[in-house]
């Protein structure tokens, strides 16, 4: 599955998506885009999900009718160590991903 990490996530997290093709916004050439433009560009590029820590994005963007899903990671901090803890839940969510859905992972 093709996954895109939002710019606000430590790029090192991409190494924790075993079995998936995970790219950063920088690598995909999608830096500097506003949330709506980023979702549209990622959808056009064939990414199955955008992974972010931006908790406001789901309220600001409409995913209905899109092929891309949004995974919002809610950890204690946005540090890599705190995000890696969520990876078992992230991988489980990816296995059950429904296009156009928002999935919130974590409790904070």
């Amino acid at each position: 599955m093709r996954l895109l990490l939002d710019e606000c996530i430590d790029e090192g997290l991409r190494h924790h998506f075993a079995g998936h093709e995970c790219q950063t916004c920088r690598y995909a050439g999608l830096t500097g885009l506003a949330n709506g433009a980023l979702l549209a560009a990622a959808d056009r590029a064939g990414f199955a999900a955008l992974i972010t820590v931006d908790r406001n994005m789901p309220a600001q963007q409409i995913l209905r009718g899109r092929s891309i899903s949004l995974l919002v990671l809610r950890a204690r901090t946005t540090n890599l160590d705190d995000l890696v803890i969520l990876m078992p839940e992230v991988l489980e969510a990816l296995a059950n991903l429904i296009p156009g859905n928002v999935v919130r992972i974590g409790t904070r």
Side-chain angles (χ1 to χ4, degrees):
M1 180 179 298
R2 289 189 74 213
L3 308 172
L4 182 66
L5 287 184
D6 198 355
E7 288 182 79
C8 55
I9 292 183
D10 187 308
E11 290 187 356
L13 190 64
R14 69 184 172 87
H15 299 293
H16 296 273
F17 289 89
H20 299 281
E21 177 190 337
C22 187
Q23 295 181 16
T24 63
C25 282
R26 185 173 56 84
Y27 184 83
L30 300 174
T31 56
L33 297 176
N35 289 343
L38 177 59
L39 273 170
D43 199 9
R44 282 191 307 273
F47 287 98
L50 172 63
I51 301 164
T52 187
V53 293
D54 183 346
R55 296 176 189 197
N56 295 320
M57 193 181 293
Q60 298 167 346
Q61 306 302 319
I62 297 171
L63 281 118
R64 192 172 331 122
R66 293 190 188 265
S67 297
I68 194 166
S69 296
L70 184 64
L71 271 72
V72 181
L73 306 183
R74 300 180 299 183
R76 190 170 60 83
T77 72
T78 58
N79 293 332
L80 181 60
D81 291 339
D82 289 328
L83 296 176
V84 168
I85 292 168
L86 300 176
M87 287 309 299
E89 281 183 82
V90 170
L91 294 173
E92 183 178 330
L94 290 173
N96 301 302
L97 198 62
I98 298 171
N101 275 3
V102 174
V103 178
R104 290 169 181 84
I105 298 170
T107 57
R108 297 228 174 233

